[in-house]
Amino acid sequence: MSSPAAASSPPPTPSAWPRLAFIGVLAACAASYQARAIGDLFDTLITPEGEVRAPFRAVSMGGRISDVRDEAAAAGLRPGDRITSLAGHAYEGRKTMAEALRGARPGDILSIAIDRNDGADTVQSAIRLQAEHPGGRSTVDITLTVALGIALPVVSLLLGFAVALRRLRDGRALLLLLMMMSFAQLPGVEIADEATWGPGWRVAGTFYDQVMAGTWSLWMLLFGIAFPERLPLDRRRPWLKWLLVGPLAILALTRAGASVAHVEGMAWASDLVAREGTMAALQIALAMVASGCFFTSLGFKGGTDARPDVRRRLKLLHAGAAAGLTPTLLLVVASVVTGRSIGTVAPPWLLVPAGLSLLIFPLSLAYVIVVHRAMDVRVVVRQGLQYALARRGVMLVQGGVVLAAVLTLTTLAGQASVNRPRRIQYIALAVVFVFVIRRAADRARSWIDTRFFREAYDAEQVLTGLSEDVRTIVDTQTLLTTVGQRVADTLHVTRLVALLRQDGAYASAYRVGEAPEVRLSAASPIAMRLRDSRQPLRVDLGDAASWVNREADASDRATLAALESELLLPLAVKDSLLGIVSLGPKRSEEPYSPSDVRLLQVVAAQTAIALENSQLTADIARETALRARMSREIEIAREVQEGLFPQHYPPVAGLEYIGYCRPALGVGGDYYDFVRVGEGHLGIAVGDVSGKGIPAALLMASLQASLRAQAISNPTDLATLMQRLNALIYEASPANRYATFFYGQYDPATRHLDYVNAGHNPPMLFRPRDGGVDLLRVDGGGPVIGLLPTADYTQFGIDLVPGDLLFGYTDGVSEAMNTDSEEWGEDRMAQAVRACLSLHPKAVVQQVMAAADAFASGAKQHDDMTLVVVRVV
């Protein structure tokens, strides 16, 4: 568990001391200024009736008067008059007015000497001073003073210095500090008056305030370019930013000097003071451009960065900055356009939310840095404490906003100048505002509950629905993602790891949170206990008597510690443990309740079934893919094998011939061939390789190549050819592979056929002239080829006459079976051949195959079927 205290920073190395010293100087300046400014604000808040207001304002170093108040007008002062002395002291700048009013009370008399703007003589007059807040400070004034003069500087400076001290070597941290210091002074000119501080303090305070307030957009621009990583455009063209940074820095320093000169009455800087209005307008315009670049940089990086965490942080900061700064920027634009001060350019009901919205920017920046760990600033705070602070923070904000709104609207309603209908509208608006804020607060608390905790009914509803949903998921990764993310979101688990069994161990397959990759042996005590019990197991590594400390070994305990595991769920089906789900601590830091465990057990059981189904589906998919690949390979083999059969029949005088093969499995071991031998001779081959499929097809290809290699030399001794062929096939095939083979050579000049039959079905010779059928001898021809290393073969011969038809076949034709497992037989086959003796060999093949198929009546072909038909014409 994390400690409630913030983790201490490592001691600074020697190279960090210059940066630390610089931060110390900045801290001294900021603390000195804010202590004095906040002290003055507390005085005015506690005793507002004792604060006098300036009866007029001097707009030039020469003391020219403007903005004459009622008490000054009653004393005869008019705009344009020039002050020569105040309270008996010659006018030397704003400090003269501040010193004259210091310690004064409402009702006191302020003596003044003026020169008329028409060049008349000096006029002596006396002004009765009036209270700045005669009826006490208004709610609007108090709210803005506290929010902008006290809360905003304190929050901004605490954030800036905390990050800078924790990240001494990080230039972005220093930019953040300077941005927060300048942001703290952004509304300062409307709240504090440094000219009343006395000698020394007023010069330092005025310069500090003006420099900081004048450079806020500069630091925002630089921070937007650098956070969280440097803008790609700035890497390519680093000089571009100086087109804004340079003028903004010069204008801030120049205006700060002009303000000091105006306060102190430095005559040599009168021309500079006279141009202050022009410089202010230019500074505001450049500040608008710089702030626009800040938002553009954040938006660009937030939309293009490939890392989800970085995009989330940038989007949060962009939204917080927009919500915090936009209202005030709009008021500044309105002030510039109308030429009026910000305090008078908008009604009070608009000033309050606009002023309070400024707090959103540093708070959102703190949220991004602390909660989302931007810039690697890790403040270790217990989640339970975060939850309590968040809920109470909403209550405080709700109460403060409601109180401020009600007081503001009731104060407006109570003014004497407000008529009755308008007063009723103000009161009704206050009531409506209370209900709106209450509803917004309820939604905020609901979001916090969702972020940190959850309602039991919601968890039960979500997890029960999840157990139904997982049944339909068949993809393993989708299943783990759905279950893991839903459980983590519902119970707000910081770390969740799903481990699946593979290669004798359980390895990480899905993770939620910053969990490491781990492996757990399938033979470990933890896995065995989960497999045997099939029940969720609580993990308490801090309890020496717990089962995990008694049964698990050191490596397994280290694995559970790395996962921060508090609950283990078995994904078990029957006696098989398919996986393990490790659940880390909940954000609320509450233990898993019995209700949680029961619900998770149901989810785990359904997930295990879905996981088994997904694995079966994956196996089926792999099997289907394998079958498809094999089918494609067989199809390719079939195409190759078809290419091995004769594609063109060499013409032989006095012969019509054809061959046909129909494999039983796409490819087969039956073989037929017609080979041109010598001058007009024709080699006729038909064979049957043992077995089926790819192995038989390979041996068939080897047989074809060997035959053609032997026959090309036009041998007359076919017995010797067969011996050589047997030796080649024996060497090229396994011991259990062989082939029955018939080979004959026909001489068209003599119509004589020499042949050797190596154990093959004897071809039938049909003689239409006498109606007889001769079987070409198989006995005495020799054994099958490829079975024995050496074998002797005998050559036979026979004379043919016109009209004779030689019919060669494999046993797949004669042994074709019907659905009753009855063979067609050689007699039926011979009868089918006799029925078409007068036809062309191609027609004979078609008729015989049709007769065989008719006999089979749809029964599956169990063997390759090959025919060779040669007809003497």
Side-chain angles (χ1 to χ4, degrees):
M1 292 294 183
S2 58
S3 170
S8 58
S9 299
T13 59
S15 60
W17 283 111
R19 179 73 63 87
L20 185 61
F22 178 65
I23 293 174
V25 171
L26 294 179
C29 294
S32 300
Y33 178 90
Q34 294 299 337
R36 183 65 185 266
I38 292 176
D40 288 352
L41 291 179
F42 271 116
D43 289 341
T44 61
L45 290 172
I46 295 172
T47 58
E49 66 281 354
E51 183 182 3
V52 298
R53 69 180 183 183
F56 52 81
R57 188 164 69 93
V59 295
S60 67
M61 290 183 58
R64 192 70 65 183
I65 293 175
S66 68
D67 296 338
V68 177
R69 298 277 181 91
D70 292 342
E71 59 271 26
L77 273 68
R78 300 194 298 266
D81 292 344
R82 188 176 62 82
I83 307 170
T84 58
S85 66
L86 272 175
H89 298 283
Y91 184 80
E92 296 180 351
R94 288 183 57 208
K95 67 179 182 180
T96 307
M97 173 68 79
E99 291 172 352
L101 296 180
R102 186 185 305 135
R105 306 284 296 177
D108 291 350
I109 301 299
L110 175 66
S111 61
I112 183 172
I114 60 173
D115 283 342
R116 292 292 182 191
N117 57 0
D118 55 5
D121 294 338
T122 299
V123 176
Q124 300 288 335
S125 184
I127 303 173
R128 183 173 297 277
L129 299 176
Q130 302 295 318
E132 180 71 39
H133 307 286
R137 301 189 73 137
S138 68
T139 305
V140 173
D141 191 23
I142 294 174
T143 302
L144 292 177
T145 299
V146 172
L148 303 183
I150 300 175
L152 182 65
V154 169
V155 171
S156 300
L157 294 178
L158 284 178
L159 172 63
F161 281 104
V163 175
L165 290 174
R166 293 183 66 85
R167 303 289 295 172
L168 284 173
R169 298 178 180 276
D170 194 340
R172 298 170 303 170
L174 184 58
L175 286 176
L176 174 68
L177 170 60
L178 293 170
M179 182 174 69
M180 289 294 96
M181 289 179 65
S182 64
F183 193 74
Q185 299 305 123
L186 188 58
V189 293
E190 302 291 337
I191 294 176
D193 187 3
E194 300 85 3
T196 64
W197 288 3
W201 279 101
R202 63 173 171 249
V203 174
T206 301
F207 188 79
Y208 174 85
D209 177 52
Q210 292 298 315
V211 169
M212 289 291 105
T215 56
W216 71 273
S217 59
L218 182 154
W219 304 121
M220 281 188 66
L221 169 64
L222 294 178
F223 184 76
I225 291 174
F227 179 83
E229 292 179 358
R230 191 174 176 186
L231 188 70
L233 177 62
D234 188 60
R235 295 180 186 274
R236 296 193 302 269
R237 296 179 176 83
W239 53 269
L240 274 178
K241 60 178 176 290
W242 294 105
L243 298 179
L244 281 174
V245 171
L248 281 171
I250 293 171
L251 283 172
L253 293 173
T254 304
R255 286 198 66 200
S259 296
V260 171
H262 195 182
V263 169
E264 295 296 319
M266 300 173 180
W268 56 269
S270 58
D271 290 341
L272 186 63
V273 175
R275 294 182 176 87
E276 189 175 3
T278 303
M279 290 189 294
L282 180 58
Q283 187 180 38
I284 290 174
L286 292 177
M288 293 293 181
V289 176
S291 60
C293 292
F294 166 81
F295 285 106
T296 302
S297 297
L298 293 185
F300 174 79
K301 287 186 279 191
T304 58
D305 200 290
R307 295 162 294 181
D309 285 346
V310 173
R311 292 200 304 271
R312 184 180 68 252
R313 293 166 183 165
L314 289 169
K315 289 178 180 178
L316 284 171
L317 180 56
H318 191 280
L325 298 178
T326 301
T328 301
L329 291 177
L330 293 176
L331 290 179
V332 170
V333 172
S335 174
V336 172
V337 172
T338 61
R340 297 160 57 190
S341 66
I342 293 179
T344 60
V345 77
W349 60 267
L350 188 57
L351 283 176
V352 172
L356 292 177
S357 67
L358 286 173
L359 285 166
I360 297 176
F361 178 56
L363 291 176
S364 61
L365 188 56
Y367 180 79
V368 170
I369 290 176
V370 175
V371 177
H372 289 267
R373 296 180 178 180
M375 299 174 65
D376 199 28
V377 175
R378 298 173 182 262
V379 179
V380 183
V381 180
R382 292 176 64 89
Q383 286 283 346
L385 180 59
Q386 290 185 26
Y387 173 69
L389 291 176
R391 284 188 63 88
R392 285 163 178 74
V394 171
M395 293 175 62
L396 290 174
V397 171
Q398 178 186 1
V401 173
V402 169
L403 179 62
V406 171
L407 290 176
T408 300
L409 293 171
T410 54
T411 300
L412 294 173
Q415 293 179 355
S417 60
V418 177
N419 55 31
R420 183 180 180 85
R422 181 59 60 85
R423 185 175 294 113
I424 294 174
Q425 290 178 3
Y426 282 144
I427 295 174
L429 185 60
V431 174
V432 171
F433 193 79
V434 168
F435 282 102
V436 170
I437 292 299
R438 180 179 178 182
R439 185 167 185 178
D442 289 340
R443 289 190 175 183
R445 278 188 287 270
S446 176
W447 179 86
I448 290 171
D449 282 338
T450 303
R451 172 67 172 81
F452 290 94
F453 209 55
R454 53 95 181 145
E455 292 295 334
Y457 173 76
D458 293 339
E460 182 174 359
Q461 191 176 44
V462 171
L463 295 182
T464 302
L466 175 61
S467 66
E468 297 292 331
D469 294 342
V470 298
R471 298 178 183 178
T472 60
I473 302 176
V474 295
D475 178 69
T476 300
Q477 198 58 41
T478 303
L479 174 66
L480 295 178
T481 301
T482 302
V483 173
Q485 198 62 54
R486 192 84 64 87
V487 170
D489 290 345
T490 304
L491 297 179
H492 308 292
V493 180
T494 57
R495 284 188 177 186
L496 182 148
V497 178
L499 301 98
L500 294 185
R501 182 162 184 168
Q502 47 185 268
D503 300 329
Y506 295 93
S508 300
Y510 177 77
R511 295 177 293 169
V512 173
E514 299 178 358
E517 290 276 356
V518 297
R519 288 180 66 86
L520 191 67
S521 172
S524 67
I526 295 175
M528 300 292 287
R529 186 182 179 99
L530 286 170
R531 187 192 64 187
D532 295 340
S533 68
R534 301 179 61 188
Q535 298 292 323
L537 295 179
R538 295 184 184 271
V539 178
D540 189 357
L541 294 170
D543 183 3
S546 67
W547 70 269
V548 68
N549 286 315
R550 286 184 288 103
E551 299 179 16
D553 54 32
S555 62
D556 289 346
R557 289 197 299 270
T559 298
L560 295 179
L563 297 176
E564 296 184 3
S565 182
E566 290 191 0
L567 188 67
L568 296 176
L569 299 177
L571 302 179
V573 177
K574 297 181 180 178
D575 295 330
S576 176
L577 183 64
L578 304 179
I580 303 171
V581 177
S582 168
L583 299 178
K586 295 191 286 188
R587 287 195 179 95
S588 62
E589 295 184 342
E590 293 290 328
Y592 290 92
S593 66
S595 175
D596 292 335
V597 175
R598 286 194 300 272
L599 291 171
L600 289 170
Q601 187 173 4
V602 174
V603 171
Q606 296 295 335
T607 302
I609 295 173
L611 183 60
E612 184 182 42
N613 291 336
S614 71
Q615 292 177 351
L616 290 175
T617 302
D619 291 342
I620 293 172
R622 284 192 295 270
E623 181 68 21
T624 302
L626 178 61
R627 288 180 178 272
R629 186 168 66 252
M630 291 180 63
S631 297
R632 178 55 185 157
E633 291 174 355
I634 290 174
E635 179 65 22
I636 294 172
R638 185 185 65 80
E639 294 174 358
V640 172
Q641 187 178 45
E642 286 182 352
L644 297 178
F645 290 126
Q647 304 299 307
H648 304 286
Y649 295 158
V652 178
L655 280 188
E656 294 176 343
Y657 61 96
I658 194 170
Y660 173 77
C661 178
R662 187 170 75 186
L665 299 176
V667 292
D670 277 10
Y671 169 55
Y672 75 89
D673 205 354
F674 300 105
V675 184
R676 181 187 292 274
V677 181
E679 295 296 330
H681 291 195
L682 178 68
I684 303 168
V686 59
D688 185 359
V689 177
S690 63
K692 302 178 183 67
I694 297 293
L698 293 175
L699 185 55
M700 170 261 177
S702 177
L703 177 59
Q704 186 225 36
S706 300
L707 173 64
R708 294 203 169 203
Q710 294 298 317
I712 195 171
S713 60
N714 190 19
T716 57
D717 187 355
L718 300 187
T720 302
L721 179 147
M722 194 67 72
Q723 289 175 351
R724 293 173 181 172
L725 193 63
N726 174 73
L728 290 171
I729 298 302
Y730 180 83
E731 292 294 333
S733 63
N736 62 342
R737 293 293 177 187
Y738 60 88
T740 64
F741 190 62
F742 170 88
Y743 178 70
Q745 287 188 180
Y746 176 73
D747 183 356
T750 61
R751 295 195 184 97
H752 182 77
L753 176 69
D754 292 317
Y755 66 91
V756 175
N757 193 337
H760 191 71
N761 303 83
M764 297 180 177
L765 179 61
F766 292 87
R767 298 184 180 273
R769 289 186 178 183
D770 57 12
V773 178
D774 294 334
L775 298 179
L776 301 191
R777 295 180 60 179
V778 64
D779 55 315
V784 296
I785 61 173
L787 183 63
L788 303 173
T790 60
D792 294 328
Y793 295 90
T794 303
Q795 176 176 327
F796 301 99
I798 189 171
D799 293 323
L800 306 181
V801 298
D804 288 351
L805 185 142
L806 178 66
F807 182 81
Y809 64 96
T810 60
D811 55 10
V813 180
S814 61
E815 296 175 2
M817 292 185 180
N818 59 19
T819 54
D820 296 328
S821 298
E822 180 186 2
E823 289 187 0
W824 192 28
E826 293 180 355
D827 292 340
R828 291 190 180 96
M829 181 181 68
Q831 185 178 355
V833 176
R834 285 193 185 94
C836 52
L837 287 176
S838 61
L839 301 179
H840 188 277
K842 183 177 182 180
V844 174
V845 168
Q846 293 172 348
Q847 295 281 5
V848 172
M849 291 301 297
D853 291 340
F855 174 80
S857 301
K860 181 179 179 182
Q861 179 182 339
H862 70 279
D863 199 359
D864 304 330
M865 303 174 71
T866 301
L867 298 177
V868 170
V869 180
V870 180
R871 187 168 180 270
V872 181
V873 296

